Amino acid sequence: MYYTMGYDSPIGRLLLAERDGALTGLWMEGQKYYCDSLQGERLEKADTEVLLQAGVWLDRYFKGEKPSAGELPLAPEGSAFRREVWKLLCEIPYGEVTTYGEISKKIAAVRGLSNMSAQAVGGAVGHNPISIIIPCHRVVGTNGSLTGYAGGLEKKIKLLTLEGVDMDKLSVPARGTAL
C-alpha cells in the first residue's frame, strides 16, 4: 500500500508517496513519468510520519535552507543501476551542478569499467522518482546546457536559481526532450 500526500510548492503542486516507512516518490504535477513507479493500491493520507517529515523538508528547502537527502528515509524504486545513479545524485552539493559525463565516470570507476555511457546515466536521471530531494535538477550537459528535465526546464531553472547557482554559466537548449 502506498500513502500519498499533495504539497503546494512555489513551483506548483507536488505529489509525495510513501511505502513501508520510506519515501518512494515525489512528482511535479504534469511531469514526464508522473507516478510511474506507483504500482499498486494507494491511499491519500497526509499524516504519516514519513510524509510529514518530507513536507517539513520541502518547507525548509523552499525557504532557502539546505536540507540533505540523508535526512529522510528514501526508497526509490528502480533497477540496481538506476539506484546507483540516484545515490550519486544525493552527493551533489546544494547550489552546485555536475554533468552526466562526471556521473558516468564515477559509475564506471565504482564498477571497475573503463567508461560508462552518459546517455544511460541520463536515462536513470530522467526517471528519478523522488524529484527535488534526490536532486536530478543539479545535472547539466558537459557544455553547460540545462538539457531536458522531466518537470520542465522552467522548474529546473527555478530550483537552481533558488539554490543560488550561477545561471550565467548555463544555457537553455534550443530543443530537447523535456523542455
Side-chain angles (χ1 to χ4, degrees):
M1 169 74 70
Y2 291 94
Y3 297 108
T4 62
M5 173 180 92
Y7 180 92
D8 291 315
S9 83
I11 61 166
R13 184 98 169 134
L14 306 176
L15 178 70
L16 292 87
E18 175 225 325
R19 183 170 140 187
D20 298 329
L23 194 66
T24 59
L26 190 164
W27 300 274
M28 300 167 202
E29 242 178 34
Q31 87 172 56
K32 195 172 186 182
Y33 313 118
Y34 185 79
C35 296
D36 218 22
S37 60
L38 278 182
Q39 305 298 319
E41 271 191 77
R42 63 181 177 184
L43 174 68
E44 186 162 334
K45 186 174 180 174
D47 63 351
T48 73
E49 184 176 337
V50 170
L51 293 176
L52 291 172
Q53 287 175 349
V56 169
W57 191 102
L58 289 166
D59 290 343
R60 291 174 51 219
Y61 176 81
F62 286 115
K63 286 179 185 169
E65 295 180 28
K66 301 175 184 179
S68 75
E71 295 177 24
L72 297 171
L74 303 178
E77 297 174 0
S79 69
F81 174 75
R82 285 183 176 177
R83 288 192 314 272
E84 201 172 343
V85 170
W86 300 333
K87 183 178 178 193
L88 287 175
L89 295 180
C90 291
E91 297 173 8
I92 306 169
Y94 180 99
E96 296 182 25
V97 295
T98 192
T99 66
Y100 297 96
E102 287 302 314
I103 294 171
S104 66
K105 286 177 191 172
K106 287 180 181 181
I107 297 271
V110 167
R111 291 182 164 208
L113 302 171
S114 59
N115 60 36
M116 169 64 60
S117 164
Q119 287 81 9
V121 167
V125 170
H127 283 84
N128 169 21
I130 306 178
S131 296
I132 304 171
I133 294 172
I134 297 179
C136 52
H137 59 278
R138 297 180 188 153
V139 183
V140 300
T142 303
N143 63 356
S145 171
L146 291 173
T147 67
Y149 183 60
L153 278 186
E154 178 182 305
K155 290 178 182 167
K156 182 173 188 166
I157 291 167
K158 284 182 180 180
L159 294 170
L160 293 174
T161 301
L162 171 78
E163 293 185 17
V165 171
D166 182 358
M167 299 304 288
D168 291 337
K169 297 179 181 178
L170 303 174
S171 63
V172 175
R175 53 177 224 199
T177 58
L179 298 176

